[in-house]
Amino acid sequence: MRWLGGCAPGSPMRVPLGARLIWSDPPLWTAGDWPERHVKRTEGNGRRLVVFGPCAASSHDLDRALYEPGPFGAGQMWSGSYAVIRQVQAGDVEIFTDPTLALPLYTARYQGGTVWGSSSRALAVLRGGEVDQRWLHSFLMDKQTPLPGHSAWAGVVPVPAGQRLLLGAEGAVSASPWWSPTKRSYEEAVPRIAEALDEGVRARVDGVAVSSDVAGMDSTAVAVLAAQHGPLLGLTAHPEGVTDGGDLTYAQALRVPGLEHLPFPLREGHLPFSPAGLALPATDEPAPSSVLWAMFSAQLLAVAGRGSVCHLTGDGGDNLFMAPPVHLADLARRGRLIRLGRDALEWSQLRRESPWPLLSAAFSGSVARLHRPWLKKPPWLTAAAGEAAAPPENANEMLVVNLRAAARAAAADIQLADALGLELANPYFDGALLDAVVSVSAEDRFTVRRYKPLLVDAVGQHLPAAHRTRAGKGVFAGDFHRGVRENLPHLLALVDGHLAAAGLIDPGPLKGALHGVALGARAVWPPLLAVLAAEMWLGAVEAQQPVEWVPVVEVAR
């Protein structure tokens, strides 16, 4: 497993077995196969700084950041997904966390000191290695916003996104925000979006063999940008025996120098929930692709077999650029009733549903109801919903919360890919890109007349006309229904596993829901996928050996 971590000054100095020390006073390390291009360092005049993760910063940028009060000085935020660690020798350690949670960090108390790292599962060993049952229950209720201030592991605390974590030489630990959204006009934001995405892609692909999904607009845009920096293998999944239509038609129409197409036929064994030839690796929390492991692992192995070191995805593009009508509450609050009525009517016509529930939620100020009106306690969850995160109050807060939830979950998918020896890269989760997108007013981001206008206006010049005017993306609900039907005995047995034994779910209603889905009944997929992914995750964790920790002197030798 690839991760990084360190100890606060004055803490007991223990490190994971096999770690590579960056410095030892206090210990800072990487574990696993960490790419050298994703560890950037500088030092001088008793100061030192390291950036972990894909980052577009130049050596000049790093030198300036060594002395500035913030992580980027007075300059624009660097593109990429990374953490910045800075120290005055024998003094405080500053850790600047990623604004989107694309590189989550955690802390754990150990023998009176503090250890931090990017793997909650690894840190959990120092706290007894127990799953946090309250967090797990909240995940089953709403996997997007589980119990605030908790990780999946008891005693391991997440560091909030966009925070400056200060580890004091006297043992004090404090956190304060370093990032907050700014306001820009649409015209000002578009070139920033273009630059952030292009630089984020470049930071990942320079000097290595690269592959990319080529499916919807998000992954296609990333692939085209990546192809400008060198040869690219573009993977497009399609049903076996189908040679045109859907994503495949758009992929075949894409003619970019340096892009080699790799069609990937989806067979019965690739259906969701199908058994895979490889055991599911243990991750920090349930990974979104757990239920797709047969297909996900096969695709990653296919590109790795062709020499790819880094595989790009379009994950996060929908979260950034496909705005739900949550801005209606903002319009109602500001009394912009004509725009409110127009947007509510257009959205209802697009979805073929009544506008009145939208207007009711808007006038009540319920951003959450506008975003996910289906969210409620699933019938198989045994206890009442406990403490929850405060709901977002406006569209900008919702965008940030939504993107951070997706990025945090995607970090577990990155760990799945790591287990196969492949870097999984998600440029749409970059902090600089979030900063540019959220700076645009919510009503300017929303429209039903154009598909992802911010993205098209920023990078559309790199795409063929057919892609610029594409109005939708593939829907795979039918595959999930088929996957449940084909694997129903396995899923029914899974339901009687760890979650049921812990009293967190009632298997009866869950089995009833699975039988209904197998027969084609309409399903609310998020809570169903959450419980199945959590059960698979618990089995993977149980099957894998925990991280071993040793005194720092054993690593230093």
Side-chain angles (χ1 to χ4, degrees):
M1 179 175 61
R2 175 167 59 93
W3 64 290
L4 66 110
C7 299
S11 297
M13 295 194 295
R14 297 187 70 83
V15 298
L17 183 65
R20 171 177 170 253
L21 284 175
I22 304 298
W23 62 61
S24 59
D25 55 338
L28 176 70
W29 67 80
T30 59
D33 187 15
W34 198 277
E36 287 294 327
R37 71 188 194 284
H38 292 168
V39 182
K40 297 186 175 183
R41 306 173 58 177
T42 189
E43 58 182 281
N45 296 330
R47 295 172 176 263
R48 50 195 183 187
L49 179 144
V50 185
V51 180
F52 292 101
C55 178
S58 67
S59 58
H60 173 73
D61 293 328
L62 298 181
D63 290 339
R64 183 178 61 181
L66 192 61
Y67 301 101
E68 295 284 353
F72 315 105
Q76 184 175 328
M77 190 187 304
W78 306 326
S79 295
S81 297
Y82 49 85
V84 180
I85 292 84
R86 184 170 61 192
Q87 185 189 23
V88 176
Q89 287 181 4
D92 298 343
V93 174
E94 295 176 293
I95 303 171
F96 297 91
T97 63
D98 184 88
T100 69
L101 285 181
L103 180 58
L105 296 180
Y106 308 87
T107 63
R109 297 289 293 171
Y110 177 67
Q111 294 183 357
T114 298
V115 183
W116 63 272
S118 62
S119 171
S120 57
R121 185 172 70 90
L123 294 180
V125 176
L126 301 175
R127 299 287 298 176
E130 297 295 328
V131 172
D132 188 324
Q133 297 295 311
R134 291 176 60 208
W135 181 93
L136 189 56
H137 175 270
S138 68
F139 177 88
L140 299 176
M141 172 63 201
D142 178 12
K143 62 187 178 71
Q144 178 170 303
T145 55
L147 189 64
H150 291 244
S151 74
W153 299 90
V156 181
V157 179
V159 182
Q163 295 274 315
R164 170 183 178 260
L165 182 67
L166 181 62
L167 306 176
E170 303 301 322
V173 179
S174 63
S176 58
W178 69 261
W179 177 82
S180 60
T182 57
K183 292 184 178 180
R184 301 183 183 94
S185 69
Y186 192 98
E187 292 73 22
E188 290 174 320
V190 165
R192 284 179 176 264
I193 291 169
E195 180 183 1
L197 187 56
D198 184 43
E199 287 293 290
V201 170
R202 181 185 62 81
R204 291 165 168 87
V205 306
D206 268 358
V208 296
V210 181
S211 58
S212 176
D213 294 334
V214 178
M217 182 181 291
D218 303 323
S219 58
T220 300
V222 164
V224 170
L225 293 174
Q228 297 178 356
H229 301 284
L232 180 77
L233 184 66
L235 182 143
T236 302
H238 63 91
E240 186 177 29
V242 175
T243 58
D244 57 23
D247 290 340
L248 198 58
T249 294
Y250 287 95
Q252 291 168 341
L254 190 65
R255 294 289 181 263
V256 176
L259 173 63
E260 177 189 354
H261 290 281
L262 176 64
F264 184 87
L266 296 173
R267 303 180 174 89
E268 287 292 316
H270 295 139
L271 284 170
F273 318 110
S274 296
L278 295 171
L280 182 70
T283 51
D284 283 346
E285 64 176 73
S289 293
S290 297
V291 299
L292 304 169
W293 181 233
M295 179 188 71
F296 187 60
S297 60
Q299 289 179 336
L300 295 182
L301 289 173
V303 294
R306 294 287 300 274
S308 177
V309 171
C310 172
H311 184 74
L312 298 160
T313 85
D315 289 355
D318 285 349
N319 306 96
L320 279 176
F321 297 113
M322 198 160 69
V326 294
H327 74 294
L328 297 181
D330 295 358
L331 295 174
R333 191 179 303 112
R334 301 205 305 271
R336 297 188 57 189
L337 303 185
I338 294 177
R339 174 70 189 267
L340 169 63
R342 188 192 76 188
D343 285 2
L345 183 62
E346 288 181 343
W347 182 265
S348 66
Q349 290 173 340
L350 178 69
R351 293 300 177 94
R352 299 181 180 179
E353 56 190 29
S354 170
W356 297 113
L358 290 174
L359 293 170
S360 173
F363 282 113
S364 69
S366 179
V367 175
R369 279 172 53 200
L370 289 165
H371 179 45
R372 297 184 295 166
W374 46 264
L375 183 62
K376 62 181 180 179
K377 177 177 174 289
W380 50 81
L381 198 59
T382 55
E387 178 186 355
E393 296 182 355
N394 56 57
N396 278 351
E397 288 185 11
M398 177 58 77
L399 186 150
V400 173
V401 167
N402 190 27
L403 187 75
R404 285 175 173 173
R408 189 205 74 240
D413 273 351
I414 289 173
Q415 292 177 332
L416 292 181
D418 282 345
L420 301 179
L422 191 69
E423 298 172 30
L424 192 67
N426 306 309
Y428 288 107
F429 290 131
D430 286 1
L433 191 55
L434 169 63
D435 183 76
V437 171
V438 78
S439 70
V440 179
S441 66
E443 55 261 39
D444 287 342
R445 295 195 302 264
F446 175 87
T447 178
V448 299
R449 298 184 181 91
R450 294 178 63 200
Y451 184 64
K452 300 186 177 180
L454 266 177
L455 179 62
V456 174
D457 290 344
V459 301
Q461 72 272 21
H462 300 292
L463 298 172
H467 292 77
R468 291 197 301 272
T469 57
R470 187 172 182 178
K473 59 185 297 181
V475 178
F476 301 98
D479 291 338
F480 279 84
H481 279 277
R482 288 179 58 212
V484 170
R485 185 163 57 249
E486 295 297 324
N487 297 285
L488 186 59
H490 166 66
L491 294 178
L492 294 176
L494 198 67
V495 166
D496 289 319
H498 299 83
L499 296 173
L504 292 173
I505 64 166
D506 179 354
L510 182 53
K511 290 180 178 179
L514 289 171
H515 277 291
V517 170
L519 293 173
R522 185 176 181 180
V524 178
W525 285 105
L528 191 60
L529 295 178
V531 71
L532 295 173
E535 186 62 46
M536 295 173 181
W537 173 70
L538 290 169
V541 166
E542 185 179 65
Q544 190 152 331
Q545 290 294 319
V547 171
E548 182 180 352
W549 291 78
V550 297
V552 68
V553 292
E554 295 187 19
V555 174
R557 295 195 193 106

